């Protein structure tokens, strides 16, 4: 069995968020937070705002198009109608471009179901500001307004972020990269009717948390194949029932986050799952590296999975050596990254050769 660990390492590096956009995603929410915190027409409470969504959970991939910002409000807002609170936030944000005073002036683009969207045209970047009432503390479920349902609904994104981080730590830091691989797979395989990123996160989270997919001493190739196989098995009964779609439960509150998944979209998803599972199983069973790479390229795209990795391996080994992330195993192999088995760490290197 070929694990192609180097190829998957390169793939994961390729789908990491762009550095410049990640920096912008980090900086702009702080400016918006400061503006809203100081505004007299809206009463915020500590911590005033918090990043949420995939960027905050480190599960974002490639070009970051948007971030979610929770605007933490006083509990008195819970007595107001959701529409009224959303309109208040929309009104307050009207002065944001002038307050920021930069060339990247945001434009208030639209009211959304549970948030107000701020669009930064120069960077083609969106910030979704979600009003959230803090009733029992920031570490407890929050109440957010739902315009369509005309009521307040509970959400617990910060609690989920903590649980995901905990699960990732218990499983050799493999859960978050696995989520990223699944998201990238979705982007490659599906142009339309794509399942939402959060649905995919929850799917992977539950598969790892309930033990259906175990990570110990497994490489990403096998892990990804197991995820596909588990989804195919778990959703098969729903697929065979006319008009049925599966539920995907929120890890914190237990509600069905995929309540609006349409049957046609679910059927498309399952066709892609079955097709990719066939390629993945053949790739893992393949003894010829070139053929295995070709099969994985069908799964993740030719641009994602490199044919040649030696140059990338050398660059990564150099970077790991400088950072002190090189280890020697009991078998005498030189390896990099976090180790599950006992290994001796090579001291960080600072020798660059003779001048």
């Amino acid at each position: 069995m070929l694990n192609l660990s180097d190829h998957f390492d390169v793939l994961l590096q390729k789908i990491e968020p762009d550095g410049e956009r990640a920096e912008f995603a980090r900086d702009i929410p702080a400016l918006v937070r400061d503006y809203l915190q100081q505004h007299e027409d809206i009463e915020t409470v500590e911590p005033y705002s918090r990043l949420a969504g995939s960027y905050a959970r480190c599960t974002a991939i490639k070009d970051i198009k948007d971030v979610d910002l929770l605007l933490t409000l006083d509990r008195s807002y819970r007595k107001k109608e959701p529409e009224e609170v959303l309109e208040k936030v929309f009104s307050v944000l009207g002065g944001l471009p002038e307050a920021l005073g930069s060339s990247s002036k945001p434009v208030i683009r639209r009211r959304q179901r549970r948030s107000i969207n701020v669009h930064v045209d120069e960077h083609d970047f969106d910030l979704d500001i979600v009003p959230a009432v803090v009733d029992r503390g920031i570490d407890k479920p929050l109440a957010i307004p739902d315009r369509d349902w005309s009521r307040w609904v509970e959400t617990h994104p910060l609690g989920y972020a903590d649980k995901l981080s905990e699960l990732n730590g218990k499983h050799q830091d493999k859960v978050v990269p696995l989520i990223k691989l699944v998201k990238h797979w979705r982007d490659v395989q599906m142009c339309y009717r794509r399942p939402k990123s959060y649905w995919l996160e929850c799917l992977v989270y539950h598969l790892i948390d309930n033990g259906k997919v175990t990570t110990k001493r497994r490489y990403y190739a096998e892990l990804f194949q197991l995820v596909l196989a588990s989804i195919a098995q778990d959703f098969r009964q729903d697929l065979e029932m006319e008009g049925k779609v599966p539920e995907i439960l929120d890890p914190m509150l237990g509600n069905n986050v995929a309540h609006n998944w349409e049957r046609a979209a679910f059927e498309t998803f399952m066709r892609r799952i079955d097709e990719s599972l066939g390629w993945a199983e053949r790739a893992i069973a393949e003894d010829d590296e070139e053929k295995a790479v070709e099969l994985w390229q069908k799964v993740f795209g030719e641009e994602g999975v490199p044919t040649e990795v030696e140059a990338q391996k050398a660059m990564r080994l150099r970077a790991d050596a400088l950072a002190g992330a090189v280890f020697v195993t009991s078998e005498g192999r030189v390896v990099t990254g976090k180790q599950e088995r006992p290994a001796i760490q090579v001291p960080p290197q600072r020798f660059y050769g003779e001048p």
Side-chain angles (χ1 to χ4, degrees), residues 235-254:
F235 287 177
R236 188 66 55 195
Q237 183 175 356
D238 294 302
L239 185 64
E240 293 172 352
M241 297 176 64
E242 185 176 355
K244 187 82 165 58
V245 294
E247 292 187 343
I248 302 176
L249 301 184
D250 184 281
M252 297 302 297
L253 302 178

Side-chain angles (χ1 to χ4, degrees), residues 265-325:
F266 168 56
E267 290 176 355
T268 299
F269 174 74
M270 290 300 290
R271 284 195 293 271
R272 300 296 178 266
I273 286 284
D274 289 339
E275 189 175 47
S276 294
L277 176 58
W279 291 329
E281 289 176 339
R282 288 168 55 196
I284 288 176
E286 184 59 65
D287 293 326
D288 185 293
E289 180 174 309
E290 183 177 348
K291 292 180 180 179
V293 168
E294 290 177 355
L295 287 164
W296 281 118
Q297 286 176 337
K298 290 179 178 291
V299 177
F300 292 112
E302 292 185 7
E303 294 183 359
V305 182
T307 302
E308 175 59 50
V309 295
E310 291 305 317
Q312 292 93 330
K313 284 171 59 178
M315 291 176 61
R316 188 172 69 253
L317 182 60
R318 178 183 182 278
D320 288 337
L322 293 174

Side-chain angles (χ1 to χ4, degrees), residues 54-68:
S54 60
Y55 172 71
R57 296 190 295 270
C58 300
T59 58
I61 61 172
K62 295 173 282 193
D63 287 342
I64 300 175
K65 296 292 186 181
D66 57 69
V67 296
D68 297 331

Side-chain angles (χ1 to χ4, degrees), residues 307-343:
T307 302
E308 175 59 50
V309 295
E310 291 305 317
Q312 292 93 330
K313 284 171 59 178
M315 291 176 61
R316 188 172 69 253
L317 182 60
R318 178 183 182 278
D320 288 337
L322 293 174
V326 176
F327 298 81
V328 178
T329 69
S330 58
E331 295 86 8
R333 293 188 302 112
V334 177
V335 294
T336 62
K338 187 175 181 179
Q339 299 302 303
E340 301 174 32
R341 300 180 180 181

Side-chain angles (χ1 to χ4, degrees), residues 2 20 94 124 165 172-173 205 237 245 250 261 264 274 285 308:
L2 294 174
E20 184 176 338
D124 189 25
S165 179
Q172 307 85 49
D173 295 334
Y205 179 95
Q237 183 175 356
V245 294
D250 184 281
W261 203 358
D274 289 339
E308 175 59 50

Side-chain angles (χ1 to χ4, degrees), residues 49 52 63 131 158 255 282:
S49 70
D63 287 342
L158 303 182
N255 56 296
R282 288 168 55 196

